[in-house]
Amino acid sequence: HRGSAVNLNINDLVENWGCAINTDLVLDATCVTITTKVDTLATSLPTDIEYPFYPVLSNFNPGNITFRNLPPVAFTFVSSVDPKIASIRGVNGEVLLMTSNRSTRMEGEPIDADPAQTFPEEMFILKDVPVAAALEGQFKSMYTLKRAVELKIIKEEEEDYEDPIPSRSPNTRMVVVGDGNFVMDEFQHNQNNIEFAADVVDWLVDDVGLTSMKKRDPSPKQFTDVSEGTKTFVKYFNFTAPPAVVIIVGFLRLMMNAARRKRHKSY
């Protein structure tokens, strides 16, 4: 039950694009309940306990309409993220999802993640710790400096050489989540997590505002209250108007046919 950081060799790359992934674990008092064995003097009994290392978070950024009003998302051993350096990298960054107002962070190695340990209320002193962030803009290549050195050598040999590899991407979107396995959650929140993942994909590929249209209130709009007299008039008008129109059209056609026959007889 002790955790250590796993080096995936992506932290430098993601940070170069504008978001840091911290080497910590985020705990929240709103969390998944798990069943674990608790040792007593006589035996070891299965017991249901709240496990803050599996937080259930619903504090979405209200400024991003794509992720507004989503159900809670469950995480397992999630790290915090920090998009504050996005502006330094020349892109836009914002927090998508944060912890509640009763959370904390653990750093160092190893981290004691034993479910049987006590999690006192006074340890949850932090709030709004970001665990997911969105980035948008033209991302600078991490290898620009190295590429510049290579180009200098090439251009010394070929003066008219033009580099086919861009130093920045076209306008691009990116989402960074502190838990790479949240879609595979097994603690009865799988549907909620999939919905969050689906909205992430929608936001990543949405160029024409379809997501904002999808998020509009689909409930039917109520009619403005009208007087009883108006209701009665509309009711009887709907009953009588269509037949009256048919009768009038039929009478006009009858008159036109009669006039046409009369002209033929005169010839």
Side-chain angles (χ1 to χ4, degrees), residues 91-110:
V91 298
N92 298 319
E94 65 176 355
V95 174
L96 287 185
L97 180 57
M98 301 163 282
T99 63
S100 70
N101 58 1
R102 295 189 300 148
S103 59
T104 190
R105 298 168 57 235
M106 284 190 177
E107 297 180 279
E109 292 191 23

Side-chain angles (χ1 to χ4, degrees), residues 129-240:
V129 178
V131 298
L135 307 172
E136 182 174 7
Q138 296 180 340
F139 297 98
K140 184 178 180 181
S141 171
M142 185 176 178
Y143 308 102
T144 299
L145 183 60
K146 180 181 178 182
R147 184 67 179 166
V149 175
E150 294 176 352
L151 286 178
K152 184 178 179 181
I153 297 174
I154 295 175
K155 286 185 176 181
E156 289 177 354
E157 300 175 358
E158 302 179 34
E159 294 183 359
D160 59 345
Y161 179 82
E162 292 185 5
D163 187 12
I165 303 176
S167 60
R168 284 185 177 273
S169 72
N171 197 66
T172 308
R173 289 178 171 181
M174 184 183 306
V175 172
V176 180
V177 182
D179 174 18
N181 295 321
F182 73 92
V183 182
M184 302 169 61
D185 167 67
E186 300 176 356
F187 296 98
Q188 300 177 350
H189 293 81
N190 187 255
Q191 188 59 45
N192 294 354
N193 289 18
I194 291 176
E195 185 173 347
F196 173 55
D199 277 20
V200 166
V201 174
D202 286 345
W203 183 80
L204 290 173
V205 301
D206 185 12
D207 291 328
V208 293
L210 294 177
T211 303
S212 61
M213 295 172 60
K214 187 177 70 173
K215 290 293 181 179
R216 292 179 182 175
D217 183 9
S219 59
K221 303 298 183 290
Q222 299 296 324
F223 288 107
T224 305
D225 290 337
V226 296
S227 64
E228 289 298 325
T230 302
K231 292 180 180 179
T232 302
F233 171 77
V234 172
K235 175 180 177 181
Y236 286 105
F237 178 82
N238 289 336
F239 278 130
T240 59

